[in-house]
Amino acid sequence: MWTYHPELLATPVPRYTSYPTAAEFGDDFGPVDMEEALAAIAPGTVVSLYLHIPYCRDICWYCGCNTGAANRAARLATYVERLEREIALVAQRVTGVRVGRIAFGGGSPNAIPPAAFLRLVESVRTAFDCTDAILSVEVDPRGFDRDWAGAIGRAGVSRVSLGVQTLDPQVQAAIGRVQPSEDIRRTTSLLREAGVGSINFDLMYGLPRQPEQSLRASIVESIAMAPDRLAVFGYAHVPHLVPRQRRIVADGLAGTAERFAQAALAHRLLVDAGYDRVGFDHFARPADALAQAAASGGLRRNFQGFTEDPAEILIGLGASAISDFPDRILQAEKNTGRYGMRIDAGALATCRGLRRSPEDRLRGRAIETILTRGTADLTALDGGADIRIRLTPFERYGLIAWEGACSA
């Protein structure tokens, strides 16, 4: 049962893919910080790799990702070459690590030619020990074709996430992402033929011109396509931070109560359809690895969202990519031109980040366990009394309970 308490929703909070969040990153970081972090990885450690492709064939108005138009073949080819060089630079700085996960995100990885994608996969597998590594790719159904599906099959990709957002043509027009439902069905079919075992749909609520019946129709139609996972995100309208959102007519956006009702509707429809709830905005079939991790206590949360990836270290490659280490978070140069100049000079492209204090790590772990397991041990945190006072309103409504000094 979802209960609406507007006073508890009045304070905006981060989505918490990390703690501290990216809003706390500072500019006093550089390649030396990345060099130190890579050198400190012990041989035999299993790490994950994330490769960022900051290009899309079409730019959606709502999107806050670091991406630009894939309108020049030479620009894409140059970026791929530089990403290959960065792969080699990073590989030279680690010893004996194993790669458990390789994720391609963006932007849209399928903005580059399929042959270029295969080159990047081969570069990673040549540079690192990737035995049995799980390979995942984000896909834009617009422009996805049989050639790209073939590349995904040859690369051994087992997990693909589709940017669906909404299947309502009116809402699509309002956010600058027009893609007929047939594009989604065709892409899903091609991926199944290529042997992809886990397909995720990203959907959104709180979009302009999206009443409850529109969201319901999109979810019902998505369920009929039988994705293994779905993520249902709430749209955040922040045109002061994302200039392209200024093209969206703000007076068509849902209010707080309507957004809450839409989130509750999505939860109800998907659970009733047989999906397990994973975290607060992800859903998965019971047989999917994500649902199994949630059931067994192995669910994690990182910059990709909820995941069953157990790795403690994520190495980001590409412009704006974020690397996550136990004691620090580091981000590469966002501008592809400046990123390329650094890589061409034989240097790493790190330019922002933060260092985690021991208290940061404790708080980050508490936040993660609340999000993934619904409980957290707060006894080791500084300011425990203040934390309990701040959570009193939630306790008053029966949304949390305490066991000694532990929140449950």
Side-chain angles (χ1 to χ4, degrees):
M1 174 67 69
W2 285 47
T3 52
Y4 177 58
H5 302 292
E7 65 276 21
L8 298 183
L9 296 171
T11 302
V13 296
R15 188 166 277 153
Y16 283 123
T17 52
S18 71
Y19 183 85
T21 69
E24 305 301 320
F25 288 6
D27 297 328
D28 52 342
F29 289 82
V32 171
D33 298 283
M34 187 68 168
E35 299 261 6
E36 292 175 352
L38 294 173
I41 302 175
T45 301
V46 178
V47 304
S48 295
L49 301 181
Y50 171 78
L51 289 84
H52 188 68
I53 308 297
Y55 296 101
C56 292
R57 296 184 184 276
D58 298 289
I59 305 299
C60 305
W61 303 343
Y62 64 85
C63 182
C65 296
N66 179 50
T67 186
N71 52 9
R72 295 210 308 254
R75 174 191 292 174
L76 298 179
T78 298
Y79 182 78
V80 170
E81 290 171 2
R82 286 166 168 167
L83 192 48
E84 288 181 295
R85 290 182 199 140
E86 186 184 15
I87 291 168
L89 288 172
V90 170
Q92 292 166 7
R93 289 161 170 78
V94 294
T95 302
V97 302
R98 293 194 303 112
V99 174
R101 309 286 177 112
I102 307 167
F104 282 80
S108 303
N110 59 308
I112 64 175
F117 167 72
L118 289 172
R119 270 178 47 199
L120 288 172
V121 172
E122 184 59 29
S123 294
V124 170
R125 287 176 170 159
T126 299
F128 297 93
D129 177 2
C130 298
T131 306
D132 299 324
I134 294 171
L135 183 55
S136 63
V137 181
E138 295 177 1
V139 161
D140 184 345
R142 300 170 297 176
F144 189 82
D145 56 21
R146 191 168 292 277
D147 288 343
W148 243 99
I152 278 177
R154 288 193 293 278
V157 174
S158 61
R159 300 176 186 182
V160 172
S161 181
L162 303 186
V164 176
Q165 320 312 349
T166 175
L167 296 172
D168 185 328
Q170 184 179 7
V171 183
Q172 290 177 353
I175 62 174
R177 188 187 181 93
V178 177
Q179 54 181 17
S181 297
E182 180 53 38
D183 286 0
I184 313 300
R185 283 190 287 271
R186 173 183 48 80
T187 300
T188 300
S189 178
L190 288 172
L191 292 171
R192 295 299 190 196
E193 291 175 11
V196 176
S198 182
I199 296 177
N200 173 75
F201 282 11
D202 279 350
L203 299 175
M204 297 181 75
Y205 66 88
L207 292 169
R209 302 181 187 176
Q210 186 189 38
E212 189 170 294
Q213 60 266 31
S214 170
L215 177 63
R216 178 188 295 273
S218 288
I219 293 176
V220 169
E221 189 173 356
S222 294
I223 291 171
M225 299 184 208
D228 305 278
R229 305 178 181 182
L230 294 101
V232 188
F233 302 111
Y235 168 61
H237 189 63
V238 286
H240 59 290
L241 298 175
V242 183
R244 61 183 65 135
Q245 289 186 356
R246 294 170 189 162
R247 303 184 68 179
I248 293 176
V249 180
D251 59 10
L253 296 171
T256 304
E258 187 178 357
R259 286 172 59 90
F260 187 88
Q262 289 183 349
L265 171 67
H267 178 276
R268 184 170 65 254
L269 290 174
L270 290 167
V271 170
D272 287 350
Y275 289 87
D276 287 350
R277 177 182 63 83
V278 178
F280 60 91
D281 56 10
H282 284 48
F283 302 84
R285 295 286 190 193
D288 190 88
L290 192 65
Q292 293 176 347
S296 67
L299 188 66
R300 300 290 308 280
R301 186 158 174 83
N302 63 16
F303 286 102
Q304 278 85 57
F306 290 104
T307 177
E308 76 281 15
D309 183 2
E312 296 290 340
I313 294 174
L314 171 68
I315 300 174
L317 300 161
S320 78
I322 295 175
S323 297
D324 192 2
F325 300 93
D327 67 338
R328 68 192 75 183
I329 306 174
L330 303 171
Q331 185 173 25
E333 169 64 57
K334 290 184 177 182
N335 180 276
T336 54
R338 291 193 292 270
Y339 160 82
M341 291 174 62
R342 293 182 181 225
I343 298 301
D344 287 346
L348 298 175
T350 306
C351 69
R352 300 182 73 233
L354 60 81
R355 288 187 180 272
R356 286 188 174 110
S357 68
E359 179 71 9
D360 287 337
R361 295 184 216 178
L362 290 172
R363 288 177 178 266
R365 183 58 182 160
I367 290 169
E368 183 183 38
T369 55
I370 288 172
L371 293 174
T372 58
R373 302 179 190 177
T375 66
D377 183 352
L378 308 181
T379 54
L381 296 181
D382 290 340
D386 179 62
I387 291 172
R388 182 150 190 168
I389 291 172
R390 295 177 66 182
L391 292 176
T392 297
F394 297 86
E395 185 178 9
R396 185 180 303 123
Y397 285 119
L399 299 176
I400 65 169
W402 296 88
E403 296 178 5
C406 298
S407 176

